[in-house]
Every structure is written in C-alpha cells, then in structure tokens.
C-alpha cells in the first residue's frame, strides 16, 4: 500500500527520469548497500527497514533512511528537482527525544523567555504573531551531512547527502522582538537559544541539553518560526516554535525554543563547548576550535544515481552557498576531467535556499563518474577533497559527493 | 563468562548509568536519550569506541571504567542483541 502511494507521488513529479526510483521502494536497504560498497560499516546493520518512530509516523517512510528513532535521512533520489522539500520527506535529527506531541496542540500558548535585552520578557507565540512576520526559504542541513564519506569512521550518524532539505520558514524576525524589548543588553556578542526538551534525572543537564550560541551577526536574519512550508510547524520539526538561523547548520536552529538570551559568552553546555567543533582526527572537542555556524558552498547530483541509458540524459542536482548566493554550478560526466556549466532550475528563493540544477549530457555506454561543483558569488568553490576532521563535519568536497552511473 | 559483569556495568557501575539513556530489553531499561540498543545492534568495536571515547552527547567513560569493564560491557550488549533474530 505504501509502495503504491510512493509510485503515485512519483508519477506526479514531472519529467524526472530516475531509473533508480525502485530503490526508494526498498526503503533503507539500497542505501545501506551503497554505504557498504564504500567500505564503511553503517551505523545500523539491520537490513530490514525500520519503522518510523511514533513522533515521526506521518513522514514518508519510502523517502527516508531510518537509522534510529531520532535520525532519519532523506533518500538521495527523493529530492529530485524540487526547489522546496516536501515536509514529509525532510530529514529528522533530534539531539534529544522530542517532547510529547501535545505541546503543539495549542501553539499560540507556547512561551519563550527573552533575556539579555533592555526589557526581558516572557512572550507567547500568540503575542509574537502580533509583533512582526516574515517568510524565508532556507536550507536545513546537519553539520555531519557527508559524514559517511570519511574513511576514518567518524562517530555519529553516517549521513550521505540526505541530512538536508530546503524549506520555507514563517515567523517573526528576531530583530523585531528584540527591538520591542529595548534592544540587546550592552556587551552582547551571542544569541543563545535553549530547547524545551525534558532531561531525565541522573544526568547533568549541561551535558545533554540543546543550547546553542550563534554570533549576534545572525540577528539580521534570525527568526522565531511557527510555520514550515506554509503549515503549522510540527513538533517533529521543532514546533510550536523554532529558532531559525538562515544559512547556519541545523543544530543552531533550536527546536521547541523556550529561552533566548543575548549573552557576552557562548553557553558552556556541552553541545556548544565541545560538541560541533571542527578538529583533527583523534582530538577531543574544545571551545577554541571552529564552531559549526555558517554553512559552506556545496552541491550534489540527485539523478541519475546508478543506471542511465546511452544517449541524452538529464542530470539533476541541488546546489547552495550557505549564507552566500550562488554564482554557478558546473557538472562533469568524466569524474572532474572536463566541466560544463549546469542551468539553475526554478525560481531563485534567495541566498539561503538551494538551487536545483539540470544539465543535459550525452552518455555513452560504460561507467560514468558524475560530479558537480558549485561556486558562490564571492568566488568560494567546492574543493575536490575532504578536510579530514574527527566528527566528519562540513564536508563539501565534490569528489566524494559524485555518483557512479552505469550506462547501457 | 564476563557477560554478568557486563550487565552489572550496564545497570549499576557506570555513572551516569547506561540505563538512563539507552533502551535494552535484557537490562529492563527504556532510556530514550541515546539509541535503542536492541534496534541498533552495535558491533563490539562500536560499543568499545563509544564507551571509551564518547559519541556526541554521550560522555567518555575512559577514566571511570576499566578496560576489562568496558570489554565486558561490549560482550554483554553483543550477547543480548546479536542473537535476538
């Protein structure tokens, strides 16, 4: 039944020729096999597709690779040529178990405390809705998207390319809220957001709480969002209220946000102090290492993925510049020896959104290594290789992100 | 057989206790902070690495547990998860 539904929704996606769609119907097995071929041990070894956890039961199982109850990746072929990622296909990564679904029953009643401003206040979502509103298209991407390609076996979920999606966020600009409360306190250098998850007894809250600090330069774009893709934000994705920092890695977009503070220092919660820090392989995390804030320029092919036919093929993919608009994306069908510029598909939804792209190519019989390389308007371009690092963060090398396609 | 020692480490010795964060039916635990071990079925190396060095929000137990205790823990988890099918 589910498989039939998947076929139906596939058929309504125009002209996306994807011979590997079948792999979508097999759930996670295909992706697991792909990871195994690269010589890595997948985190989850079970070959039977896992069922969706209760808090995400409404998601499209066939579009997702389910690793654990809190980690679900979008299948590479499920993105296709979409500008906006359908909510039921968007990846899920919760650092802590989600609060009960009932917290989103009366979203206007959810309260967030704002401190580190001239006039600290507790505001309900209902009140926030009268203070201002904006809608922004922004890519959501986990810091570890691409971790599966690191040969040292970086610990954490072995995301390939699917811990990413582009969605529309609607909410109040954080700046409007702060202005209404008299502006940030003197000396504020960070915006610190705290999630509303409950923490079990017996643990030091600082060791697991989701509390992230981002530099105050993000105040120009940050928002407190109550809608995603034009519908009320589900608790699966952080509703009733989520701090959204466009262009910043996923972890900074704090779900169930209950506390916002303008602070002189970054929080000493572990997730900030030593988590999400880029360091050499084998080194522990510490506050002096770069934090996962702004995303870098990146792209990958979404079709074809495994098999093509000889002759003209449409090669699809997605590309983004993090916080910087894109200049171009180049595509190679010979593993990077020669490049041709791809064409962006669909409307430009701003610097924080991704741009689907397409390039027509004549493929001859045999093996083709298809890769893509994006360049932003500041001239930043994807490197060929990886920057090796302990946790496998921030990978945007074009070589690893390519696909090997057999043309017959 | 050191799986008895491993179970003791899982349920009592390790601090904070493994049971607070991990579900493992043999140990009667239903923690939901970290992965459900019955589902994850981690390899012996995965357990040893995670417990020794920590993973993400999971702390490192390198200084609070002995190598023998960590290996017993891994053997125990393997013994109650890999044969489950």
């Amino acid at each position: 039944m589910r498989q039939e539904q998947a076929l139906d929704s596939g058929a309504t996606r125009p002209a996306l020729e994807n011979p590997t769609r079948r792999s979508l119907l097999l759930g996670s097995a295909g992706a697991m096999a792909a990871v195994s071929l690269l010589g890595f041990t997948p985190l989850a070894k079970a070959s039977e597709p896992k069922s969706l956890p209760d808090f995400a039961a409404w998601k499209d199982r066939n579009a997702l690779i389910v690793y654990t109850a809190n980690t679900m990746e979008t299948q590479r072929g499920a993105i296709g040529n979409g500008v906006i990622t359908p909510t039921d296909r968007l990846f899920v990564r919760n650092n802590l178990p989600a609060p009960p679904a009932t917290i989103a029953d009366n979203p206007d009643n959810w309260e967030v405390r704002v401190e580190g401003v001239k006039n600290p206040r507790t505001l309900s979502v209902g009140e926030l809705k009268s203070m201002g509103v904006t809608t922004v298209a922004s890519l959501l991407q986990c810091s570890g998207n691409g971790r599966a390609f690191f040969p040292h076996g970086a610990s954490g979920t072995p995301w390939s390319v699917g811990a990413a999606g582009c969605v529309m966020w609607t909410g109040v600009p954080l700046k409007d809220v702060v202005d209404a409360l008299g502006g940030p306190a003197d000396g504020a250098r960070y915006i610190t957001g705290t999630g509303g998850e409950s923490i079990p007894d017996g643990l030091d809250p600082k060791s697991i709480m989701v509390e992230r600090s981002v530099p105050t330069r993000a105040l120009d774009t940050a928002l407190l969002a109550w809608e995603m893709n034009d519908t009320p934000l589900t608790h699966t994705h952080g509703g009733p209220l989520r701090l959204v920092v466009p262009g910043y890695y996923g972890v900074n977009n704090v779900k169930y946000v209950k506390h916002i503070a303008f602070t002189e220092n970054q929080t000493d919660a572990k997730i900030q102090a030593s988590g999400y820090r880029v360091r050499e392989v084998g080194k522990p995390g510490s506050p002096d290492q770069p934090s996962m804030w702004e995303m870098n320029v990146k792209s990958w092919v979404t079709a074809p993925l495994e098999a093509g036919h000889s002759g003209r093929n449409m090669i699809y993919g997605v590309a983004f510049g993090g916080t910087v608009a894109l200049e171009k994306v180049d595509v190679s069908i010979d593993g990077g020896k020669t490049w041709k510029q791809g064409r962006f598909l669909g409307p430009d939804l701003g610097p924080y959104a991704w741009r689907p792209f397409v390039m027509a190519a004549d493929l001859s019989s045999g093996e083709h290594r298809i890769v893509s390389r994006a360049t932003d308007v500041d001239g930043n371009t994807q490197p060929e290789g990886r920057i090796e690092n302990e946790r496998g963060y921030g990978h945007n090398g074009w070589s690893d992100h390519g696909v090997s396609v057999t043309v017959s | 057989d050191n799986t008895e020692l491993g179970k003791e480490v899982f349920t009592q010795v390790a601090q904070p206790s493994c049971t607070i964060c991990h579900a493992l039916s043999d140990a009667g635990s239903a923690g939901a902070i970290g992965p459900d071990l019955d589902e994850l079925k981690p390899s012996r190396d995965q357990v040893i690495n995670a417990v020794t060095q920590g993973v993400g929000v999971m702390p490192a137990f390198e200084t609070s547990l002995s190598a023998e205790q960590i290996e017993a823990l891994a053997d125990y988890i393997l013994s109650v998860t890999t044969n489950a099918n």
Side-chain angles (χ1 to χ4, degrees):
Chain A
M1 185 64 191
R2 273 182 166 274
Q3 297 192 349
E4 286 162 14
Q5 286 166 357
L7 278 172
D8 288 346
S9 70
T12 61
R13 302 189 151 244
L16 182 61
E17 211 171 325
N18 183 355
T20 63
R21 182 169 297 284
R22 196 175 58 88
S23 69
L24 270 182
L25 305 178
L26 298 175
S28 63
M32 292 294 184
V35 171
S36 296
L37 284 175
L38 294 170
F40 310 131
T41 307
L43 183 66
K45 289 184 297 183
S47 55
E48 290 292 307
K50 292 195 180 86
S51 56
L52 292 163
D54 290 347
F55 86 106
W58 57 274
K59 305 279 287 188
D60 179 353
R61 176 67 187 84
N62 293 314
L64 297 166
I65 302 162
V66 179
Y67 295 108
T68 71
N70 288 321
T71 48
M72 288 152 258
E73 169 168 1
T74 307
Q75 297 269 9
R76 189 168 190 149
I79 292 298
N81 58 354
V83 183
I84 293 295
T85 306
T87 307
D88 63 358
R89 294 185 169 200
L90 184 66
F91 80 103
V92 177
R93 197 284 180 255
N94 267 26
N95 270 284
L96 291 175
T102 50
I103 68 162
D105 285 351
N106 297 295
D108 285 0
N109 294 343
W110 180 265
E111 289 183 333
V112 58
R113 174 78 183 166
V114 184
E115 291 185 344
V117 291
K118 299 280 162 50
N119 305 303
R121 268 192 66 187
T122 298
L123 295 158
S124 68
V125 171
E127 287 172 290
L128 292 174
K129 286 179 175 174
S130 68
M131 297 175 82
V133 65
T134 190
T135 295
V136 61
S138 182
L139 178 76
L140 192 64
Q141 181 187 215
C142 182
S143 305
N145 197 31
R147 178 180 287 132
F149 303 120
F150 285 85
H152 70 281
S155 65
T157 307
W159 309 112
S160 163
V161 297
C166 185
V167 294
M168 300 289 272
W169 299 103
T170 297
V172 60
L174 183 58
K175 192 164 191 317
D176 288 359
V177 177
V178 172
D179 286 349
L181 303 184
D186 295 336
R189 294 162 58 214
Y190 297 97
I191 305 164
T192 298
T194 312
E197 298 95 340
S198 59
I199 291 168
D201 293 338
L203 292 177
D204 172 8
K206 291 273 185 188
S207 71
I208 64 163
M209 69 193 298
V210 178
E211 184 169 272
R212 287 286 298 177
S213 300
V214 296
T216 45
R217 61 178 177 265
L219 183 55
D220 291 335
T221 55
L223 61 153
L224 294 171
W226 53 75
E227 278 189 11
M228 188 172 80
N229 290 346
D230 302 332
T231 53
L233 185 56
T234 60
H235 94 295
T236 318
H237 290 291
L241 193 68
R242 183 165 185 177
L243 172 62
V244 172
V245 189
Y248 280 58
Y249 284 101
V251 69
N252 302 291
N253 299 267
V254 176
K255 296 174 177 176
Y256 331 106
V257 64
K258 65 169 186 189
H259 196 269
I260 297 277
F262 286 78
T263 54
E264 196 178 332
N265 297 309
Q266 296 177 34
T267 171
D268 61 353
K270 187 181 173 191
I271 197 171
Q272 178 84 22
S274 62
Y276 295 89
R277 297 281 176 178
V278 180
R279 70 272 191 179
E280 288 168 38
V281 175
K283 275 200 169 179
S286 68
D288 60 332
Q289 300 154 348
S291 191
M292 296 307 289
W293 285 332
E294 288 97 340
M295 293 187 279
N296 54 22
V297 63
K298 188 168 176 178
S299 69
W300 58 83
V301 168
T302 56
L305 296 180
E306 286 165 24
H309 53 83
S310 70
R312 187 176 158 93
N313 282 253
M314 302 300 265
I315 296 169
Y316 292 89
V318 289
F320 52 89
T323 57
V324 182
L326 279 184
E327 171 73 29
K328 62 167 184 170
V329 61
D330 297 312
V331 179
S332 170
I333 58 171
D334 55 14
K337 291 191 194 78
T338 59
W339 298 88
K340 245 179 86 179
Q341 194 169 329
R343 177 172 65 82
F344 290 131
L345 260 182
D348 181 352
L349 297 181
Y352 310 112
W354 70 20
R355 306 280 327 254
F357 63 84
V358 63
M359 192 191 80
D362 279 316
L363 299 181
S364 53
S365 295
E367 287 277 318
H368 291 267
R369 181 69 180 171
I370 303 177
V371 291
S372 61
R373 183 183 64 191
T375 303
D376 71 24
V377 294
D378 289 347
N380 298 304
T381 191
Q382 291 180 251
E384 179 175 358
R386 294 176 294 274
I387 297 173
E388 303 294 347
N389 68 95
E390 171 65 17
R391 294 302 313 281
Y393 290 141
H395 189 2
N396 69 341
W398 56 256
S399 182
D400 282 347
H401 287 86
V403 290
S404 293
V405 175
T406 304
V407 173
S408 52
Chain B
D1 184 9
N2 62 354
T3 55
E4 269 178 42
L5 170 62
K7 186 169 185 172
E8 200 180 309
V9 172
F10 191 91
T11 55
Q12 295 168 43
V13 182
Q15 291 299 327
S17 170
C18 308
T19 57
I20 296 174
C21 294
H22 293 286
L24 181 63
S25 52
D26 186 83
S29 67
I33 299 294
D36 177 330
L37 298 175
D38 294 311
E39 276 185 13
L40 186 66
K41 304 189 201 311
S43 70
R44 193 169 187 275
D45 282 352
Q46 277 179 311
V47 176
I48 290 174
N49 289 341
V51 175
T52 306
Q53 300 160 26
V55 183
V57 298
M58 177 171 164
F61 290 84
E62 195 170 18
T63 54
S64 57
L65 295 176
S66 69
E68 185 199 358
Q69 287 172 321
I70 293 173
E71 285 183 18
L73 181 64
D75 289 339
Y76 164 63
I77 292 170
L78 239 69
S79 73
V80 296
T81 54
T82 49
N83 299 329
N85 293 337

